[in-house]
């Protein structure tokens, strides 16, 4: 005797998105990063989908946070890629296996520019660096506090970020450089694999920073003013002040030196040495 059994398979009910998250475009270094395995991961957890409202069985469920969010987002195929991704939104208020789908865009960094360099770019011997045997500068840490970057993304969006608000901002030395020598140098701010230069000065003990006429470890309009005042005889500078003021090395202290100091202070000159 043959028995026939008919099985009917009913597809699991799905939820729908009735209100998209407040943001569906997520930016590298702000919303996501590459983990140590080189795969995309959320920073501090899942991508932020606040604002989402789902519908299931004619009932709406809104995104909320009690101790943790009631909704999370996952890549539909378990991996995220730069660009558009099909994702699934899982909610604690939905039965197991039920989820809603949504398209999100992961946008990568294209380039970075230093708007404001680190607060401390004058580095003092035996405090910030040591003099190595060959006479070069040795250091293992660099404080990026105060750094502000303009970050251009591949969708032509520009974001302004700063350190320590964004801890992914780092630093690097020029590629191929064996060692820094005391004096003016270039270092790089780094963010998501991109680099942008800024100027530093490795100051030896007892040395003066070129252009720092008042010896406050800053180069600004006050130094230029002192140069002009000295040129017309209204102030007297010490020998050390004069050496710092003569930035064009012509053994004269005049408006040409003041102009160079001002140009450096506003970023029109890269170096005074």
């Amino acid at each position: 005797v043959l028995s026939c059994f008919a099985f009917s398979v009913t597809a699991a009910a799905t939820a729908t998105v009735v209100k998209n998250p407040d943001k569906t475009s997520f930016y590298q270094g702000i919303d996501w990063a590459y983990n140590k395995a080189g795969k995309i991961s959320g920073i501090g957890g899942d991508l932020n989908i606040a604002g989402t409202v789902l519908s299931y069985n004619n009932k709406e469920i809104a995104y909320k946070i009690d101790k943790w969010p009631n909704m999370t987002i996952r890549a539909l195929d378990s991996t995220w890629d730069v660009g558009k991704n099909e994702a699934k939104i899982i909610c604690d208020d939905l039965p197991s296996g039920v989820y809603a789908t949504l398209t999100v865009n992961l946008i990568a960094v294209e380039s970075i520019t230093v708007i404001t360099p680190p607060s401390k770019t004058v580095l003092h011997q035996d405090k910030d660096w040591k003099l190595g045997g060959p006479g070069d500068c040795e250091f293992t840490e660099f404080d990026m506090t105060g750094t502000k970057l303009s970050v251009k993304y591949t969708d032509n969006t520009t974001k302004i970020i700063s350190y320590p608000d964004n801890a992914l901002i780092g630093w690097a030395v020029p590629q191929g450089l064996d060692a820094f020598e005391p004096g003016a140098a270039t270092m790089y701010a780094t963010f998501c694999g991109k680099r942008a230069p800024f100027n530093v000065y490795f100051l030896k003990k007892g040395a003066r920073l070129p252009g720092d006429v008042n010896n406050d470890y800053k180069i600004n309009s006050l130094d230029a003013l002192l140069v002009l005042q000295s040129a017309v005889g209204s102030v007297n500078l010490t020998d050390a002040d004069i050496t710092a003021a003569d930035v064009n090395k012509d053994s004269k202290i005049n408006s040409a030196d003041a102009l160079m100091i001002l140009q450096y202070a506003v970023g029109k000159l890269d170096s005074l040495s």
Side-chain angles (χ1 to χ4, degrees):
V1 177
L2 296 176
S3 299
C4 295
F5 296 92
F7 294 94
S8 61
V9 179
T10 303
T14 58
T16 57
V17 177
V18 296
K19 183 178 182 298
N20 282 341
D22 296 335
K23 55 190 291 185
T24 55
S25 291
F26 300 95
Y27 292 88
Q28 184 182 10
I30 298 175
D31 304 304
W32 61 271
Y34 289 101
N35 60 25
K36 292 182 179 179
K39 296 181 179 180
I40 292 173
S41 62
I43 295 178
D46 295 316
L47 299 175
N48 183 2
I49 54 168
T52 305
V53 177
L54 305 181
S55 176
Y56 177 71
N57 280 350
N58 297 317
K59 178 183 177 182
E60 289 192 352
I61 306 168
Y63 178 96
K64 63 183 180 181
I65 297 179
D66 186 5
K67 292 182 179 179
W68 48 79
N70 65 328
M71 296 181 192
T72 56
I73 188 168
R74 295 286 184 269
L76 200 59
D77 62 358
S78 300
T79 58
W80 295 107
D81 295 306
V82 172
K84 292 186 177 180
N85 291 258
E86 290 301 311
K88 58 183 178 182
I89 297 177
I90 303 167
C91 181
D92 295 341
D93 300 313
L94 296 177
S96 177
V98 176
Y99 57 86
T101 59
L102 177 73
T103 300
V104 297
N105 196 13
L106 303 188
I107 303 167
V109 173
E110 182 175 289
S111 62
I112 66 173
T113 304
V114 176
I115 298 175
T116 306
S119 302
K120 187 173 185 179
T121 54
V122 179
L123 310 174
H124 297 266
Q125 183 181 356
D126 293 337
K127 182 178 180 182
D128 306 304
W129 59 277
K130 300 283 187 183
L131 193 63
D136 56 14
C137 305
E138 296 181 349
F139 63 102
T140 57
E141 297 180 355
F142 190 88
D143 187 0
M144 295 298 288
T145 300
T147 306
K148 184 179 290 185
L149 302 180
S150 175
V151 183
K152 183 181 179 183
Y153 286 87
T154 52
D155 66 345
N156 289 321
T157 298
T158 298
K159 306 283 187 182
I160 306 300
I161 63 170
S162 60
Y163 186 89
D165 295 336
N166 192 309
L168 291 183
I169 295 175
W171 60 275
V173 302
Q175 293 176 336
L177 180 73
D178 290 330
F180 283 118
E181 300 294 332
T186 299
M187 291 184 62
Y188 288 83
T190 62
F191 185 71
C192 297
K194 307 300 181 182
R195 297 157 59 99
F198 63 91
N199 298 318
V200 297
Y201 197 96
F202 293 94
L203 192 64
K204 292 183 71 174
K205 278 184 178 179
R208 287 283 288 272
L209 186 66
D212 181 16
V213 184
N214 61 3
N215 200 26
D216 66 352
Y217 306 116
K218 301 174 185 176
I219 300 173
N220 52 34
S221 59
L222 294 178
D223 300 296
L225 177 60
L226 281 172
V227 172
L228 291 174
Q229 290 174 329
S230 174
V232 299
S234 62
V235 299
N236 293 318
L237 300 180
T238 67
D239 289 344
D241 296 338
I242 291 170
T243 299
D246 184 19
V247 291
N248 64 1
K249 308 300 184 206
D250 66 354
S251 300
K252 301 175 184 178
I253 306 301
N254 53 32
S255 59
D257 299 296
L259 178 59
M260 287 183 65
I261 290 171
L262 282 175
Q263 288 175 327
Y264 179 82
V266 299
K268 290 187 177 181
L269 283 181
D270 291 333
S271 175
L272 287 176
S273 62

